[in-house]
Amino acid sequence: MSSEDESNSSKDILASLEQEFTCMSDGSIRDSLGHFYSVWRVTDFHRWWLAFESHSGIPLGRKLMNAATDHEEYFLNKSALLDIGWLLKKKRVKSILDQRWKQMGWGQFFHSNQTVFSHVLAPLCSGFALANLEIIKSQRLKVQWRQISNVQIQLDTDPDIRSISPAPQPPVFDWDSDTANQSFKHGHSLSLDLRASEHGWSHSGEQCFFLPVGVLSRLFESVNMQGLQLPPELLQQWEFSEQFNSSQVVSLILASLAMNDVVSQSERPIYIQDLNSWSQLVEAYLKPLGFGSFESIHALDDQGGVEFELHPSPLIPITIGFLVAFWQRGIGRKAKVKMVIKNGNWSFQITSFLAYTD
């Protein structure tokens, strides 16, 4: 791709994203249907996933793939993207799906030989590809994926006797909310330094991609059903209100632990001097990429303890993961966290764990 072609492609992709997505005042990025998305660095999501799976203690790659397949199928059925006439429909559907992959930063999926070229984690892009194949072939498929190289993935499929039925909507958790009736008036355009690249695009020089938050919600539901037992010493660091469903605690804590690994391994400068520092961190690292924000903040003690008020949102496991990671890195202590309902929102408190054990 020449530099001129690359520039034109970058402009086209950014224009299509700006038309479809809006950055909301609550720190979310939403499409025209109100669905939540986040922009992830490829390296960050790899780190997050490796940590999430490692802390869980069981292989979860197939769970992630299934979550991606179900959510992409749900989106394609819910949106009007494939509502086209019958003339040359299969060819036009493939072209539309190709454009979606390019727009989302997922790379390229060649339907004819079932080959993916992508920087995105293999179970994730394999799930998106499977959803495409099942829609094109109008049948359920069993799939295995093989990592041929760091960017090439080969899918092997066989027919599945299960009948085609619509994918369900994403699950709703205690920390979540029904977004259907929420106003989308308070928002602004995306602010991405986007450059098209081979098999995707970059933002500010980092290979990135759009991840539908519903994929993570489906993953969390699957993990909650595994009956995992977290270590007692880990559970001592977390406190939840009685209204909180205990079966949902596992995925929330795992997501937060994994985000701590991402932040600790990154080169993000984290400085916390006062309450204003928190707003600066959120404005720099969370809101522009759709990772959420807080409604208010106030100090709890003179050791850096803070209380955030968060709107119910499917982003909360990632948002609080960032906040805890920032606190531990910026304050330099192990965190004790508490989550309770307050004024219809979530009060999320972070204090020093050692203060509770002295």
Side-chain angles (χ1 to χ4, degrees):
M1 184 184 294
S2 68
S3 58
E4 183 177 352
D5 289 341
E6 183 177 305
S7 177
N8 290 334
S9 180
S10 300
K11 291 177 181 177
D12 291 344
I13 293 171
L14 184 56
S16 68
L17 290 174
E18 289 175 339
Q19 186 175 359
E20 176 63 13
F21 296 99
T22 304
C23 292
M24 310 306 296
S25 57
D26 63 356
S28 65
I29 294 176
R30 308 193 201 185
D31 66 13
S32 56
L33 296 175
H35 298 155
F36 287 64
Y37 288 75
S38 296
V39 179
W40 284 80
R41 296 179 184 175
V42 167
T43 53
D44 280 352
F45 190 80
H46 274 70
R47 286 169 176 164
W48 183 88
W49 174 248
L50 289 173
F52 187 87
E53 193 174 41
S54 175
H55 288 302
S56 76
I58 60 174
L60 292 171
R62 179 65 61 168
K63 302 292 186 188
L64 179 60
M65 191 209 74
N66 289 339
T69 301
D70 286 348
H71 196 73
E72 184 63 4
E73 180 188 319
Y74 171 78
F75 167 81
L76 293 173
N77 287 333
K78 197 80 171 176
S79 72
L81 197 63
L82 302 182
D83 290 351
I84 56 178
W86 288 99
L87 182 63
L88 301 175
K89 181 172 183 178
K90 183 170 287 190
K91 182 178 181 180
R92 292 164 67 194
V93 165
K94 289 180 179 178
S95 176
I96 291 169
L97 294 175
D98 288 345
Q99 285 301 115
R100 175 162 169 79
W101 276 64
K102 183 180 294 186
Q103 180 190 56
M104 302 297 285
W106 297 343
Q108 296 171 287
F109 176 44
F110 294 94
H111 311 89
S112 57
N113 60 5
Q114 302 185 168
T115 303
V116 176
F117 288 92
S118 177
H119 296 282
V120 177
L121 196 71
L124 197 56
C125 57
S126 296
F128 296 143
L130 177 59
N132 287 188
L133 283 175
E134 292 187 334
I135 282 179
I136 291 170
K137 295 177 180 289
S138 297
Q139 70 173 127
R140 289 288 180 219
L141 298 169
K142 298 177 181 178
V143 68
Q144 298 289 336
W145 70 83
R146 291 179 286 126
Q147 189 90 42
I148 306 300
S149 70
N150 62 330
V151 295
Q152 183 178 350
I153 299 135
Q154 183 65 49
L155 303 186
D156 300 314
T157 60
D158 291 303
D160 192 325
I161 60 173
R162 293 177 301 159
S163 60
I164 290 282
S165 58
Q169 68 179 20
V172 176
F173 301 104
D174 287 347
W175 62 75
D176 208 340
S177 63
D178 179 9
T179 61
N181 297 319
Q182 290 191 16
S183 170
F184 300 107
K185 294 180 181 178
H186 306 293
H188 59 84
S189 299
L190 290 171
S191 179
L192 294 177
D193 177 20
L194 188 146
R195 294 290 182 273
S197 60
E198 192 175 21
H199 316 317
W201 48 259
S202 64
H203 163 60
S204 298
E206 292 274 358
Q207 196 76 34
C208 294
F209 69 101
F210 262 95
L211 177 66
V213 175
V215 172
L216 296 183
S217 296
R218 294 174 192 274
L219 172 68
F220 296 156
E221 180 182 51
S222 183
V223 169
N224 289 337
M225 295 171 64
Q226 294 295 301
L228 300 179
Q229 298 295 319
L230 297 177
E233 61 271 20
L234 179 59
L235 292 174
Q236 289 175 3
Q237 297 173 234
W238 292 78
E239 182 180 346
F240 298 93
S241 64
E242 293 181 356
Q243 305 102 308
F244 204 97
N245 188 333
S246 61
S247 67
Q248 299 178 11
V249 164
V250 171
S251 59
L252 185 74
I253 294 178
L254 288 176
S256 178
L257 284 173
M259 190 55 67
N260 189 67
D261 284 32
V262 171
V263 173
S264 65
Q265 294 174 39
S266 76
E267 297 179 357
R268 295 176 177 89
I270 308 298
Y271 303 111
I272 300 175
Q273 296 177 318
D274 51 34
L275 291 184
N276 189 51
S277 299
W278 285 102
S279 296
Q280 294 170 353
L281 289 171
V282 167
E283 291 292 335
Y285 300 127
L286 271 62
K287 294 182 72 172
L289 303 180
F291 289 121
S293 182
F294 52 81
E295 178 70 13
S296 63
I297 180 175
H298 72 265
L300 292 175
D301 56 42
D302 58 1
Q303 300 181 49
V306 285
E307 179 183 22
F308 303 94
E309 190 170 321
L310 307 171
H311 284 307
S313 163
L315 292 169
I316 277 186
I318 301 301
T319 305
I320 66 175
F322 268 113
L323 296 177
V324 173
F326 289 163
W327 194 91
Q328 293 189 141
R329 185 163 172 180
I331 302 298
R333 297 173 182 164
K334 182 185 290 188
K336 168 78 175 181
V337 296
K338 182 178 181 180
M339 193 170 173
V340 298
I341 286 287
K342 184 178 182 180
N343 302 324
N345 292 325
W346 284 105
S347 162
F348 187 70
Q349 302 174 12
I350 311 178
T351 54
S352 172
F353 180 74
L354 294 179
Y356 284 80
T357 57
D358 287 345

